[in-house]
């Protein structure tokens, strides 16, 4: 799921860095608007560690094997912190394990980070007035599941579009497209697995320390002066 | 008398017809041989062989799973745009090719499949032929190395978390 160096043309790499830069800037700006931007850093750092090692966990989906991505989980749990967390995690994966590459860091960050932010948006909808009244563990679990699946599903879709449109002329396009289709299909079960995993993590956090999820009650970039839940618990 | 002459006459006529048919058949065969494409007329096959110095590329995912049916592009030195040779890896993830010894330099082999792939460089020297290790280097990291790197990375993140958790 991580594009290595030399697979996509240089223009795609450049565009990837541009979008990743933009998304990082916007995320940091939203984080900076919070009353205490550092309050969420420990949680973000721990989930970055989870994301960093998750790519080593391979899930066999015959005939291929895919690895955990967990970008949906990061989006659901971290909100705006998800994009910087994914960027940092991807950097260390590329440098240490050779997963992905430095020239494709921007493309990979966009491919994983933007779906994570959309998953965050989806999960945040549990705080909407109408839903909140009926909400509860079930709704929270369902939204977490959807968010976790959405992260993987959307990432696989972006990857497929990127690869389909950039198959070099020197390759056998039919064989390459068949291989791409097989890879993307293999991510359907993975999306379900990650959805369930995300739901379990969120329900666990809800039970042991709901404060850890509270930053999603309001918009991720809360207005200054709003009560800050995490400072008390942390 | 009359009958025997008649009989001789018919025998000569038959012989004449037979000769005419034979001539026609031979003419037909020769004509057919001339009309056929020259290559198809040859029946002999000449096989020859000579040992050459080639390169074996082995492709596998870092999980150890072989990368079969992956597309291989071989690039000659100083021509990174047009592949010199293309092909696919066999069911054991291997690909064999013989670089053109008259083009010394760094040959580049790219193996890719569905967005996964890597590049390996092969040095070809003018007189020495292909240079490099005799066996496969094994590539990648061992489980212990990966475990240690993962642990070091995780400890870095945990340390960051602890740093920001310390209470003012």
């Amino acid at each position: 799921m991580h594009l290595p160096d030399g697979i996509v043309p240089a223009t795609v790499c450049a565009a990837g860095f541009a979008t990743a830069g933009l998304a990082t800037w916007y995320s940091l700006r939203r984080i900076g608007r919070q009353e205490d931007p550092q309050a969420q850093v420990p949680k973000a750092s721990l989930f970055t560690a989870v994301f960093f090692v998750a790519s080593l966990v391979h899930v066999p989906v015959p005939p291929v094997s895919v690895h955990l991505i967990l970008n949906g989980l990061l989006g659901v749990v971290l909100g705006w912190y998800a994009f910087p967390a994914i960027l940092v995690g991807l950097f260390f994966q590329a440098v240490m394990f050779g997963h992905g590459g430095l020239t494709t860091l921007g493309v990979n960050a966009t491919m994983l980070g933007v779906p994570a932010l959309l998953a965050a948006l989806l999960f945040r909808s549990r705080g909407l007035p109408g839903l909140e009244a009926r909400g509860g563990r079930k709704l929270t679990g369902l939204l977490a599941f959807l968010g976790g699946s959405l992260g993987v599903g959307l990432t696989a879709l972006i990857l497929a579009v990127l690869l389909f449109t950039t198959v070099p002329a020197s390759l056998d396009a039919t064989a390459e497209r068949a291989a791409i289709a097989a890879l993307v299909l293999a991510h359907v079960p993975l999306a379900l697995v990650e959805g369930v995993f995300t739901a379990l993590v969120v329900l666990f956090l809800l039970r042991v320390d709901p404060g850890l999820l509270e930053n999603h009650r309001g918009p991720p970039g809360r207005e200054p002066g709003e009560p800050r839940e995490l400072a008390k618990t942390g | 008398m009359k009958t025997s002459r008649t009989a001789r006459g018919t025998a000569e006529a038959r012989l004449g017809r037979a000769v005419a048919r034979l001539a026609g058949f031979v003419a037909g065969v020769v004509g057919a041989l001339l009309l056929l494409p020259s290559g198809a007329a040859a029946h002999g096959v000449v096989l020859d062989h000579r040992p050459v110095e080639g390169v074996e590329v082995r492709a596998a995912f870092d999980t150890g799973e072989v990368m079969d049916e992956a597309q291989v592009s071989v690039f000659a030195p100083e021509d990174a745009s047009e592949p010199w040779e293309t092909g696919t890896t066999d069911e054991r993830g291997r690909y064999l090719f013989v670089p053109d010894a008259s083009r010394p330099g760094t040959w580049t082999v790219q193996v890719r499949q569905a967005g996964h792939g890597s590049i390996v460089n092969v040095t070809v020297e003018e007189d020495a032929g292909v240079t490099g290790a005799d066996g496969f280097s094994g590539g990648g990291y061992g489980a212990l190395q990966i475990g240690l790197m993962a642990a070091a990375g995780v400890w870095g993140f945990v340390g960051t978390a602890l740093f920001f958790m310390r209470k003012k």
Side-chain angles (χ1 to χ4, degrees):
Chain A
M1 190 46 83
H2 301 48
L3 285 174
D5 294 322
I7 292 288
V8 287
T11 45
V12 175
C13 291
F17 274 115
T19 45
L22 201 70
T24 311
W25 167 77
Y26 190 70
S27 297
L28 290 178
R29 199 169 146 231
R30 296 300 295 251
I31 291 167
R33 271 202 222 151
Q34 298 184 5
E35 194 191 342
D36 182 3
Q38 290 189 4
Q40 303 279 323
V41 172
K43 186 176 77 174
S45 187
L46 290 180
F47 274 94
T48 308
V50 172
F51 173 81
F52 168 69
V53 289
S55 75
L56 296 177
V57 180
H58 289 268
V59 184
V61 181
V64 294
S65 106
V66 293
H67 60 77
L68 289 179
I69 302 172
L70 296 186
N71 58 337
L73 171 73
L74 259 68
V76 164
V77 181
L78 299 181
W80 289 111
Y81 287 84
F83 203 94
I86 284 172
L87 188 66
V88 170
L90 281 175
F91 174 77
F92 281 100
Q93 283 177 350
V95 170
M96 298 183 87
F97 306 136
H99 286 181
L102 290 181
T103 60
T104 51
L105 185 63
V107 181
N108 286 329
T110 308
M111 198 165 75
L112 271 68
V114 171
L117 290 181
L118 291 176
L121 203 70
L122 179 79
F123 186 67
R124 220 178 65 190
S125 68
R126 81 194 180 107
L128 292 177
L131 288 172
E132 204 168 17
R134 281 179 285 134
R137 294 179 60 81
K138 270 185 196 163
L139 180 74
T140 306
L142 179 70
L143 284 173
F145 171 81
L146 290 177
S149 307
L150 181 79
V152 178
L154 218 55
T155 299
L157 213 64
I158 296 174
L159 177 86
V161 171
L162 264 183
L163 289 178
F164 260 79
T165 49
T166 58
V167 175
S170 60
L171 289 191
D172 177 358
T174 327
E176 181 67 3
R177 289 200 172 132
I180 297 167
L183 181 77
V184 170
L185 279 183
H187 281 84
V188 173
L190 183 72
L192 299 178
V193 168
E194 293 208 2
V196 170
F197 185 67
T198 306
L200 289 177
V201 169
V202 164
L203 290 177
F204 174 76
L205 291 178
L206 201 64
R207 198 167 66 222
V208 297
D209 192 353
L212 283 173
L213 294 169
E214 283 305 297
N215 58 325
H216 292 286
R217 270 293 153 96
R222 283 168 302 169
E223 296 304 317
E226 226 177 304
R228 180 158 58 93
E229 296 87 351
L230 219 104
K232 290 169 207 149
T233 55
Chain B
M1 285 291 278
K2 199 179 179 182
T3 51
S4 71
R5 205 167 53 217
T6 319
R8 201 189 309 144
T10 48
E12 278 170 0
R14 269 188 211 145
L15 191 66
R17 278 203 297 276
V19 168
R21 275 186 200 148
L22 197 63
F25 177 72
V26 170
V29 168
V30 170
L33 285 177
L34 288 176
L35 283 175
L36 278 175
S38 57
H43 289 276
V45 174
V46 180
L47 289 183
D48 207 353
H49 76 282
R50 70 183 173 103
V52 291
E53 207 165 354
V55 177
E56 179 182 346
V57 177
R58 196 174 58 175
F61 294 100
D62 52 9
T63 52
E65 191 191 345
V66 297
M67 216 169 154
D68 57 342
E69 298 289 315
Q71 305 212 33
V72 184
S73 307
V74 180
F75 295 92
E78 289 150 26
D79 186 10
S81 51
E82 225 20 61
W84 178 77
E85 182 179 293
T86 57
T88 52
T89 55
D90 65 10
E91 72 274 13
R92 283 180 294 176
R94 300 188 315 174
Y95 182 75
L96 289 164
F97 75 99
V98 180
D100 185 351
S102 66
R103 296 173 77 174
T106 304
W107 289 64
T108 304
V109 185
Q110 188 193 46
V111 181
R112 58 178 279 169
Q113 185 178 50
H116 294 85
S118 194
I119 287 170
V120 69
N121 289 324
V122 180
T123 310
V124 176
E125 283 172 14
E126 199 150 12
D127 301 317
V130 182
T131 57
D134 279 341
F136 288 112
S137 60
Y141 300 113
L144 182 67
Q145 282 170 303
I146 289 184
L148 276 175
M149 285 193 295
V154 166
W155 175 241
F157 293 121
V158 171
T160 310
L162 291 174
F163 176 81
F164 281 97
M165 268 165 82
R166 84 204 186 293
K167 262 313 149 191
K168 312 102 191 181

